[in-house]
Amino acid sequence: MSNTTPATLECKNLTKTYSSTDPPTQVLNGIDLTVEAGEFLVIMGASGSGKSTLLYNVSGMDRPTSGSVHLLGRDLTSLSDAEMSHVRLTQMGFIFQQGYFLGNLNIRDNILLPALKAAPDATEEATARVDALMERFGIVEVRRHGITEVSGGQPQRASISRALASSPAVLFADEPTGALNSSMSTEVMDALSDVHASGTTLIMVTHDPACAARGDRVIYLRDGRLIDARSLGTWTEDRATEREDELLAWLRELGF
């Protein structure tokens, strides 16, 4: 029997077609992709290339038209909606451009709620984990604040804390700095780099080369096809400019 550890995420011949248009619109065209444990994968491409659609389909937020998606060896495309919801709650974390917080809860309770739903019999452990995450990402002082009472990078740091509250196998981020200025973007990417350094698998969609340069590997989509990939190795602050320049040169060759 093989002892090989399965990849964190693997999709084969993934397609997505929207039949509500005339003619039908094929957004993903036979994508094969493997993401190893602890990898920081970045998805790039021009607007309309299928970046977010790929993220939604590999994370189970949407269903592919054909092909397979495996998380830790488990076929997600065979799961019922209820089973897929449980997988997203317990094994995946999500960060979006907007936080999607509940306005009637304070910051701490917004972070804690999904962790309690994922493990309702482990309240003390979930609470301790959430408090540690808020300390780690520097938002303890705003834990009792409402979402409208915080600003800058604090809401996204709260989003990162919430996404990690259930100790997910993989963290998905869709344009996590899209609504932030450059200094706040750096703040959020520093937090994500810290998450990655601790061993969490990350898959991020971004249009920003400076953010993409934080990844271990960047894939490039065009017309729903994976046309090229670039390995950058482990990010270090002293090589930040060099990595961004290398990535920009590659992107220009691809017509980005």
Short mmCIF file of all heavy atoms in Angstrom, two decimals, residues 157-222:
data_model
loop_
_atom_site.label_atom_id
_atom_site.label_comp_id
_atom_site.label_asym_id
_atom_site.label_seq_id
_atom_site.Cartn_x
_atom_site.Cartn_y
_atom_site.Cartn_z
N ARG A 157 -7.77 41.83 8.33
CA ARG A 157 -7.10 40.99 9.32
C ARG A 157 -8.13 40.19 10.12
O ARG A 157 -7.87 39.04 10.51
CB ARG A 157 -6.23 41.85 10.25
CG ARG A 157 -4.91 42.25 9.61
CD ARG A 157 -4.02 42.98 10.58
NE ARG A 157 -4.36 44.40 10.65
CZ ARG A 157 -4.11 45.17 11.71
NH1 ARG A 157 -3.56 44.65 12.78
NH2 ARG A 157 -4.43 46.44 11.69
N ALA A 158 -9.29 40.79 10.34
CA ALA A 158 -10.38 40.03 10.97
C ALA A 158 -10.86 38.91 10.05
O ALA A 158 -11.17 37.80 10.50
CB ALA A 158 -11.53 40.97 11.32
N SER A 159 -10.92 39.19 8.75
CA SER A 159 -11.31 38.15 7.78
C SER A 159 -10.32 37.00 7.78
O SER A 159 -10.72 35.83 7.70
CB SER A 159 -11.38 38.76 6.37
OG SER A 159 -12.43 39.68 6.26
N ILE A 160 -9.03 37.32 7.88
CA ILE A 160 -8.00 36.27 7.92
C ILE A 160 -8.16 35.44 9.20
O ILE A 160 -8.11 34.21 9.17
CB ILE A 160 -6.60 36.89 7.83
CG1 ILE A 160 -6.39 37.55 6.46
CG2 ILE A 160 -5.52 35.82 8.07
CD1 ILE A 160 -5.14 38.39 6.37
N SER A 161 -8.39 36.12 10.32
CA SER A 161 -8.60 35.40 11.58
C SER A 161 -9.81 34.49 11.49
O SER A 161 -9.77 33.33 11.93
CB SER A 161 -8.80 36.41 12.72
OG SER A 161 -7.66 37.24 12.88
N ARG A 162 -10.90 34.99 10.93
CA ARG A 162 -12.11 34.18 10.78
C ARG A 162 -11.86 32.98 9.88
O ARG A 162 -12.31 31.87 10.15
CB ARG A 162 -13.24 35.04 10.21
CG ARG A 162 -14.55 34.30 10.02
CD ARG A 162 -15.61 35.22 9.45
NE ARG A 162 -15.22 35.79 8.17
CZ ARG A 162 -15.91 36.72 7.52
NH1 ARG A 162 -17.03 37.20 8.04
NH2 ARG A 162 -15.48 37.19 6.36
N ALA A 163 -11.12 33.19 8.78
CA ALA A 163 -10.85 32.11 7.84
C ALA A 163 -10.01 31.01 8.47
O ALA A 163 -10.11 29.84 8.08
CB ALA A 163 -10.15 32.67 6.60
N LEU A 164 -9.17 31.37 9.45
CA LEU A 164 -8.28 30.39 10.08
C LEU A 164 -8.87 29.79 11.35
O LEU A 164 -8.29 28.87 11.92
CB LEU A 164 -6.94 31.05 10.42
CG LEU A 164 -6.08 31.51 9.24
CD1 LEU A 164 -4.88 32.29 9.74
CD2 LEU A 164 -5.62 30.31 8.42
N ALA A 165 -10.03 30.28 11.76
CA ALA A 165 -10.58 29.89 13.06
C ALA A 165 -10.90 28.41 13.16
O ALA A 165 -10.91 27.84 14.26
CB ALA A 165 -11.83 30.72 13.37
N SER A 166 -11.18 27.77 12.04
CA SER A 166 -11.50 26.33 12.05
C SER A 166 -10.31 25.47 11.62
O SER A 166 -10.49 24.29 11.30
CB SER A 166 -12.70 26.06 11.14
OG SER A 166 -13.84 26.76 11.57
N SER A 167 -9.10 26.06 11.61
CA SER A 167 -7.88 25.34 11.21
C SER A 167 -8.06 24.64 9.87
O SER A 167 -7.94 23.41 9.76
CB SER A 167 -7.48 24.32 12.29
OG SER A 167 -7.26 24.96 13.53
N PRO A 168 -8.36 25.39 8.80
CA PRO A 168 -8.67 24.78 7.51
C PRO A 168 -7.46 24.13 6.85
O PRO A 168 -6.31 24.50 7.12
CB PRO A 168 -9.16 25.98 6.68
CG PRO A 168 -8.42 27.14 7.25
CD PRO A 168 -8.37 26.88 8.72
N ALA A 169 -7.74 23.18 5.96
CA ALA A 169 -6.68 22.55 5.18
C ALA A 169 -6.17 23.50 4.10
O ALA A 169 -5.02 23.40 3.69
CB ALA A 169 -7.20 21.26 4.54
N VAL A 170 -7.03 24.39 3.64
CA VAL A 170 -6.64 25.32 2.58
C VAL A 170 -7.39 26.63 2.78
O VAL A 170 -8.55 26.66 3.19
CB VAL A 170 -6.92 24.72 1.17
CG1 VAL A 170 -8.37 24.37 1.00
CG2 VAL A 170 -6.46 25.66 0.07
N LEU A 171 -6.69 27.73 2.48
CA LEU A 171 -7.26 29.07 2.59
C LEU A 171 -7.38 29.66 1.19
O LEU A 171 -6.41 29.70 0.44
CB LEU A 171 -6.35 29.94 3.45
CG LEU A 171 -6.76 31.38 3.74
CD1 LEU A 171 -8.06 31.40 4.52
CD2 LEU A 171 -5.67 32.09 4.52
N PHE A 172 -8.59 30.09 0.83
CA PHE A 172 -8.85 30.70 -0.47
C PHE A 172 -9.01 32.21 -0.29
O PHE A 172 -9.71 32.66 0.63
CB PHE A 172 -10.14 30.14 -1.08
CG PHE A 172 -10.10 28.67 -1.40
CD1 PHE A 172 -10.60 27.74 -0.50
CD2 PHE A 172 -9.55 28.22 -2.59
CE1 PHE A 172 -10.56 26.38 -0.79
CE2 PHE A 172 -9.51 26.87 -2.88
CZ PHE A 172 -10.02 25.94 -1.98
N ALA A 173 -8.38 32.97 -1.18
CA ALA A 173 -8.47 34.43 -1.11
C ALA A 173 -8.77 34.97 -2.50
O ALA A 173 -8.02 34.70 -3.45
CB ALA A 173 -7.17 35.02 -0.57
N ASP A 174 -9.86 35.72 -2.63
CA ASP A 174 -10.27 36.30 -3.91
C ASP A 174 -10.09 37.81 -3.86
O ASP A 174 -10.87 38.51 -3.23
CB ASP A 174 -11.73 35.95 -4.21
CG ASP A 174 -12.14 36.34 -5.63
OD1 ASP A 174 -11.26 36.67 -6.44
OD2 ASP A 174 -13.34 36.31 -5.93
N GLU A 175 -9.03 38.31 -4.50
CA GLU A 175 -8.70 39.73 -4.52
C GLU A 175 -8.75 40.33 -3.11
O GLU A 175 -9.46 41.32 -2.86
CB GLU A 175 -9.66 40.49 -5.45
CG GLU A 175 -9.64 40.04 -6.90
CD GLU A 175 -8.44 40.60 -7.67
OE1 GLU A 175 -7.55 41.22 -7.04
OE2 GLU A 175 -8.38 40.41 -8.90
N PRO A 176 -7.99 39.77 -2.16
CA PRO A 176 -8.11 40.22 -0.77
C PRO A 176 -7.66 41.65 -0.52
O PRO A 176 -8.00 42.23 0.51
CB PRO A 176 -7.22 39.23 0.00
CG PRO A 176 -6.21 38.79 -1.02
CD PRO A 176 -6.97 38.72 -2.31
N THR A 177 -6.89 42.23 -1.47
CA THR A 177 -6.43 43.62 -1.30
C THR A 177 -7.08 44.56 -2.31
O THR A 177 -6.68 45.71 -2.43
CB THR A 177 -4.91 43.70 -1.45
OG1 THR A 177 -4.55 43.32 -2.80
CG2 THR A 177 -4.20 42.78 -0.47
N GLY A 178 -8.09 44.07 -3.03
CA GLY A 178 -8.67 44.84 -4.12
C GLY A 178 -9.28 46.17 -3.71
O GLY A 178 -9.35 47.10 -4.51
N ALA A 179 -9.74 46.27 -2.46
CA ALA A 179 -10.39 47.49 -1.99
C ALA A 179 -9.48 48.32 -1.09
O ALA A 179 -9.95 49.26 -0.44
CB ALA A 179 -11.68 47.14 -1.25
N LEU A 180 -8.18 47.99 -1.06
CA LEU A 180 -7.27 48.65 -0.13
C LEU A 180 -6.23 49.49 -0.87
O LEU A 180 -5.88 49.20 -2.01
CB LEU A 180 -6.54 47.59 0.72
CG LEU A 180 -7.43 46.63 1.52
CD1 LEU A 180 -6.56 45.60 2.23
CD2 LEU A 180 -8.29 47.38 2.52
N ASN A 181 -5.70 50.51 -0.18
CA ASN A 181 -4.59 51.27 -0.76
C ASN A 181 -3.30 50.49 -0.58
O ASN A 181 -3.28 49.41 0.01
CB ASN A 181 -4.50 52.67 -0.14
CG ASN A 181 -4.20 52.66 1.35
OD1 ASN A 181 -3.54 51.75 1.86
ND2 ASN A 181 -4.71 53.66 2.07
N SER A 182 -2.20 51.02 -1.09
CA SER A 182 -0.95 50.24 -1.14
C SER A 182 -0.42 49.88 0.23
O SER A 182 0.05 48.75 0.45
CB SER A 182 0.11 51.00 -1.94
OG SER A 182 0.37 52.26 -1.35
N SER A 183 -0.48 50.81 1.19
CA SER A 183 0.05 50.50 2.52
C SER A 183 -0.81 49.46 3.23
O SER A 183 -0.28 48.56 3.89
CB SER A 183 0.15 51.77 3.37
OG SER A 183 -1.12 52.34 3.59
N MET A 184 -2.12 49.57 3.07
CA MET A 184 -3.00 48.56 3.67
C MET A 184 -2.85 47.21 2.99
O MET A 184 -2.93 46.16 3.63
CB MET A 184 -4.46 49.04 3.60
CG MET A 184 -4.76 50.27 4.43
SD MET A 184 -6.47 50.82 4.19
CE MET A 184 -6.42 52.39 5.06
N SER A 185 -2.62 47.23 1.66
CA SER A 185 -2.39 45.98 0.93
C SER A 185 -1.16 45.28 1.45
O SER A 185 -1.15 44.06 1.66
CB SER A 185 -2.23 46.27 -0.57
OG SER A 185 -3.42 46.75 -1.12
N THR A 186 -0.10 46.04 1.69
CA THR A 186 1.13 45.47 2.24
C THR A 186 0.87 44.85 3.61
O THR A 186 1.36 43.76 3.92
CB THR A 186 2.22 46.53 2.34
OG1 THR A 186 2.51 47.03 1.03
CG2 THR A 186 3.50 45.96 2.94
N GLU A 187 0.08 45.55 4.41
CA GLU A 187 -0.25 45.06 5.75
C GLU A 187 -0.97 43.71 5.67
O GLU A 187 -0.65 42.76 6.40
CB GLU A 187 -1.14 46.10 6.44
CG GLU A 187 -1.65 45.73 7.80
CD GLU A 187 -2.59 46.80 8.34
OE1 GLU A 187 -2.27 47.99 8.24
OE2 GLU A 187 -3.66 46.42 8.86
N VAL A 188 -1.95 43.61 4.77
CA VAL A 188 -2.70 42.37 4.63
C VAL A 188 -1.82 41.26 4.05
O VAL A 188 -1.87 40.11 4.51
CB VAL A 188 -3.95 42.60 3.76
CG1 VAL A 188 -4.60 41.27 3.36
CG2 VAL A 188 -4.95 43.47 4.50
N MET A 189 -1.00 41.60 3.06
CA MET A 189 -0.13 40.58 2.47
C MET A 189 0.94 40.12 3.46
O MET A 189 1.35 38.95 3.42
CB MET A 189 0.51 41.10 1.19
CG MET A 189 -0.47 41.25 0.01
SD MET A 189 -1.48 39.77 -0.31
CE MET A 189 -0.21 38.52 -0.57
N ASP A 190 1.40 41.00 4.34
CA ASP A 190 2.32 40.57 5.39
C ASP A 190 1.64 39.52 6.27
O ASP A 190 2.26 38.51 6.66
CB ASP A 190 2.74 41.76 6.25
CG ASP A 190 3.77 42.65 5.58
OD1 ASP A 190 4.37 42.22 4.58
OD2 ASP A 190 3.96 43.79 6.06
N ALA A 191 0.36 39.75 6.58
CA ALA A 191 -0.39 38.78 7.40
C ALA A 191 -0.54 37.45 6.67
O ALA A 191 -0.38 36.38 7.26
CB ALA A 191 -1.75 39.36 7.78
N LEU A 192 -0.85 37.50 5.37
CA LEU A 192 -1.00 36.26 4.60
C LEU A 192 0.33 35.54 4.46
O LEU A 192 0.38 34.30 4.48
CB LEU A 192 -1.60 36.56 3.23
CG LEU A 192 -3.08 36.93 3.22
CD1 LEU A 192 -3.55 37.27 1.81
CD2 LEU A 192 -3.94 35.79 3.78
N SER A 193 1.42 36.29 4.30
CA SER A 193 2.74 35.65 4.24
C SER A 193 3.05 34.95 5.56
O SER A 193 3.66 33.87 5.57
CB SER A 193 3.81 36.70 3.92
OG SER A 193 3.67 37.20 2.61
N ASP A 194 2.63 35.54 6.66
CA ASP A 194 2.81 34.93 7.97
C ASP A 194 2.01 33.63 8.07
O ASP A 194 2.49 32.62 8.58
CB ASP A 194 2.37 35.91 9.06
CG ASP A 194 2.49 35.34 10.46
OD1 ASP A 194 3.53 34.73 10.77
OD2 ASP A 194 1.55 35.51 11.26
N VAL A 195 0.78 33.67 7.56
CA VAL A 195 -0.06 32.46 7.53
C VAL A 195 0.61 31.36 6.72
O VAL A 195 0.68 30.20 7.14
CB VAL A 195 -1.45 32.79 6.94
CG1 VAL A 195 -2.24 31.52 6.66
CG2 VAL A 195 -2.23 33.70 7.87
N HIS A 196 1.11 31.72 5.54
CA HIS A 196 1.78 30.75 4.69
C HIS A 196 3.02 30.19 5.36
O HIS A 196 3.28 28.98 5.31
CB HIS A 196 2.15 31.41 3.35
CG HIS A 196 2.96 30.55 2.46
ND1 HIS A 196 4.18 30.95 1.95
CD2 HIS A 196 2.75 29.30 1.99
CE1 HIS A 196 4.67 29.98 1.20
NE2 HIS A 196 3.83 28.97 1.20
N ALA A 197 3.80 31.05 6.01
CA ALA A 197 5.03 30.60 6.67
C ALA A 197 4.75 29.59 7.77
O ALA A 197 5.60 28.75 8.08
CB ALA A 197 5.80 31.79 7.22
N SER A 198 3.55 29.64 8.34
CA SER A 198 3.19 28.70 9.40
C SER A 198 2.75 27.34 8.85
O SER A 198 2.47 26.43 9.61
CB SER A 198 2.07 29.29 10.27
OG SER A 198 0.85 29.35 9.56
N GLY A 199 2.66 27.23 7.50
CA GLY A 199 2.36 25.94 6.88
C GLY A 199 1.00 25.81 6.23
O GLY A 199 0.68 24.75 5.68
N THR A 200 0.19 26.86 6.26
CA THR A 200 -1.15 26.80 5.66
C THR A 200 -1.05 26.87 4.13
O THR A 200 -0.28 27.64 3.58
CB THR A 200 -2.02 27.96 6.16
OG1 THR A 200 -2.13 27.88 7.58
CG2 THR A 200 -3.40 27.93 5.54
N THR A 201 -1.85 26.05 3.46
CA THR A 201 -1.94 26.09 2.00
C THR A 201 -2.83 27.26 1.59
O THR A 201 -3.93 27.41 2.11
CB THR A 201 -2.54 24.78 1.47
OG1 THR A 201 -1.75 23.68 1.95
CG2 THR A 201 -2.56 24.77 -0.06
N LEU A 202 -2.34 28.09 0.66
CA LEU A 202 -3.09 29.26 0.20
C LEU A 202 -3.29 29.20 -1.30
O LEU A 202 -2.38 28.83 -2.05
CB LEU A 202 -2.33 30.56 0.51
CG LEU A 202 -2.60 31.25 1.84
CD1 LEU A 202 -1.97 30.48 2.99
CD2 LEU A 202 -2.06 32.68 1.82
N ILE A 203 -4.49 29.59 -1.74
CA ILE A 203 -4.79 29.78 -3.16
C ILE A 203 -5.42 31.16 -3.29
O ILE A 203 -6.48 31.42 -2.71
CB ILE A 203 -5.74 28.69 -3.70
CG1 ILE A 203 -5.13 27.31 -3.50
CG2 ILE A 203 -6.03 28.95 -5.19
CD1 ILE A 203 -6.04 26.16 -3.95
N MET A 204 -4.77 32.05 -4.03
CA MET A 204 -5.20 33.44 -4.09
C MET A 204 -5.35 33.92 -5.53
O MET A 204 -4.48 33.70 -6.36
CB MET A 204 -4.18 34.33 -3.37
CG MET A 204 -4.54 35.82 -3.37
SD MET A 204 -3.32 36.85 -2.48
CE MET A 204 -1.97 36.87 -3.68
N VAL A 205 -6.46 34.60 -5.79
CA VAL A 205 -6.67 35.32 -7.05
C VAL A 205 -6.29 36.77 -6.83
O VAL A 205 -6.71 37.39 -5.84
CB VAL A 205 -8.14 35.23 -7.50
CG1 VAL A 205 -8.43 36.23 -8.61
CG2 VAL A 205 -8.48 33.82 -7.97
N THR A 206 -5.50 37.33 -7.73
CA THR A 206 -5.16 38.75 -7.64
C THR A 206 -4.82 39.28 -9.03
O THR A 206 -4.41 38.52 -9.92
CB THR A 206 -3.98 39.01 -6.68
OG1 THR A 206 -3.79 40.42 -6.53
CG2 THR A 206 -2.69 38.38 -7.19
N HIS A 207 -4.99 40.60 -9.21
CA HIS A 207 -4.55 41.27 -10.42
C HIS A 207 -3.29 42.08 -10.15
O HIS A 207 -2.72 42.68 -11.06
CB HIS A 207 -5.65 42.22 -10.92
CG HIS A 207 -5.87 43.39 -10.00
ND1 HIS A 207 -6.64 43.28 -8.87
CD2 HIS A 207 -5.40 44.65 -10.02
CE1 HIS A 207 -6.65 44.44 -8.24
NE2 HIS A 207 -5.90 45.29 -8.91
N ASP A 208 -2.83 42.08 -8.88
CA ASP A 208 -1.73 42.93 -8.45
C ASP A 208 -0.41 42.15 -8.42
O ASP A 208 -0.24 41.25 -7.61
CB ASP A 208 -2.04 43.47 -7.04
CG ASP A 208 -1.04 44.51 -6.56
OD1 ASP A 208 0.07 44.57 -7.11
OD2 ASP A 208 -1.39 45.26 -5.63
N PRO A 209 0.55 42.50 -9.30
CA PRO A 209 1.82 41.77 -9.33
C PRO A 209 2.58 41.82 -8.01
O PRO A 209 3.27 40.86 -7.65
CB PRO A 209 2.60 42.46 -10.45
CG PRO A 209 1.55 43.04 -11.34
CD PRO A 209 0.46 43.47 -10.40
N ALA A 210 2.47 42.93 -7.28
CA ALA A 210 3.17 43.03 -5.99
C ALA A 210 2.63 42.00 -5.01
O ALA A 210 3.39 41.40 -4.24
CB ALA A 210 3.02 44.44 -5.42
N CYS A 211 1.32 41.77 -5.02
CA CYS A 211 0.72 40.74 -4.17
C CYS A 211 1.07 39.35 -4.69
O CYS A 211 1.41 38.44 -3.92
CB CYS A 211 -0.79 40.91 -4.11
SG CYS A 211 -1.34 42.43 -3.33
N ALA A 212 1.00 39.18 -6.01
CA ALA A 212 1.29 37.87 -6.61
C ALA A 212 2.71 37.42 -6.34
O ALA A 212 2.98 36.22 -6.22
CB ALA A 212 1.03 37.94 -8.11
N ALA A 213 3.63 38.39 -6.22
CA ALA A 213 5.04 38.05 -6.01
C ALA A 213 5.27 37.38 -4.66
O ALA A 213 6.35 36.82 -4.43
CB ALA A 213 5.91 39.30 -6.14
N ARG A 214 4.28 37.42 -3.78
CA ARG A 214 4.41 36.73 -2.48
C ARG A 214 4.26 35.22 -2.63
O ARG A 214 4.62 34.47 -1.72
CB ARG A 214 3.33 37.23 -1.52
CG ARG A 214 3.35 38.72 -1.22
CD ARG A 214 4.44 39.08 -0.24
NE ARG A 214 4.32 40.46 0.19
CZ ARG A 214 4.29 40.85 1.47
NH1 ARG A 214 4.37 39.96 2.43
NH2 ARG A 214 4.19 42.13 1.78
N GLY A 215 3.67 34.76 -3.72
CA GLY A 215 3.38 33.34 -3.87
C GLY A 215 4.59 32.49 -4.20
O GLY A 215 5.62 32.99 -4.66
N ASP A 216 4.44 31.18 -3.97
CA ASP A 216 5.47 30.23 -4.39
C ASP A 216 5.41 29.98 -5.89
O ASP A 216 6.43 29.74 -6.54
CB ASP A 216 5.27 28.87 -3.68
CG ASP A 216 5.37 28.97 -2.18
OD1 ASP A 216 6.15 29.80 -1.69
OD2 ASP A 216 4.67 28.20 -1.49
N ARG A 217 4.17 30.01 -6.42
CA ARG A 217 3.95 29.70 -7.82
C ARG A 217 2.78 30.53 -8.33
O ARG A 217 1.79 30.72 -7.63
CB ARG A 217 3.66 28.19 -8.00
CG ARG A 217 3.40 27.76 -9.44
CD ARG A 217 3.45 26.23 -9.57
NE ARG A 217 2.54 25.55 -8.66
CZ ARG A 217 1.49 24.82 -9.06
NH1 ARG A 217 1.22 24.70 -10.35
NH2 ARG A 217 0.72 24.21 -8.18
N VAL A 218 2.91 31.03 -9.55
CA VAL A 218 1.86 31.82 -10.17
C VAL A 218 1.42 31.10 -11.44
O VAL A 218 2.26 30.71 -12.26
CB VAL A 218 2.34 33.24 -10.52
CG1 VAL A 218 1.21 34.05 -11.16
CG2 VAL A 218 2.88 33.95 -9.28
N ILE A 219 0.10 30.91 -11.61
CA ILE A 219 -0.41 30.35 -12.85
C ILE A 219 -1.16 31.44 -13.60
O ILE A 219 -1.72 32.35 -12.98
CB ILE A 219 -1.31 29.12 -12.62
CG1 ILE A 219 -2.57 29.50 -11.81
CG2 ILE A 219 -0.53 28.00 -11.94
CD1 ILE A 219 -3.59 28.37 -11.72
N TYR A 220 -1.17 31.35 -14.90
CA TYR A 220 -1.78 32.40 -15.73
C TYR A 220 -2.86 31.79 -16.60
O TYR A 220 -2.63 30.83 -17.34
CB TYR A 220 -0.72 33.06 -16.61
CG TYR A 220 -1.19 34.34 -17.26
CD1 TYR A 220 -1.12 35.55 -16.60
CD2 TYR A 220 -1.72 34.34 -18.56
CE1 TYR A 220 -1.55 36.73 -17.18
CE2 TYR A 220 -2.16 35.50 -19.16
CZ TYR A 220 -2.07 36.70 -18.47
OH TYR A 220 -2.51 37.86 -19.05
N LEU A 221 -4.06 32.37 -16.52
CA LEU A 221 -5.19 31.91 -17.31
C LEU A 221 -5.46 32.86 -18.47
O LEU A 221 -5.29 34.07 -18.35
CB LEU A 221 -6.46 31.82 -16.46
CG LEU A 221 -6.48 30.93 -15.22
CD1 LEU A 221 -7.90 30.87 -14.66
CD2 LEU A 221 -5.96 29.55 -15.52
N ARG A 222 -5.90 32.27 -19.57
CA ARG A 222 -6.39 33.06 -20.70
C ARG A 222 -7.53 32.28 -21.34
O ARG A 222 -7.38 31.09 -21.67
CB ARG A 222 -5.29 33.31 -21.73
CG ARG A 222 -5.77 34.16 -22.94
CD ARG A 222 -4.68 34.29 -23.99
NE ARG A 222 -3.53 35.05 -23.46
CZ ARG A 222 -2.27 34.78 -23.79
NH1 ARG A 222 -1.99 33.78 -24.61
NH2 ARG A 222 -1.30 35.53 -23.29
#
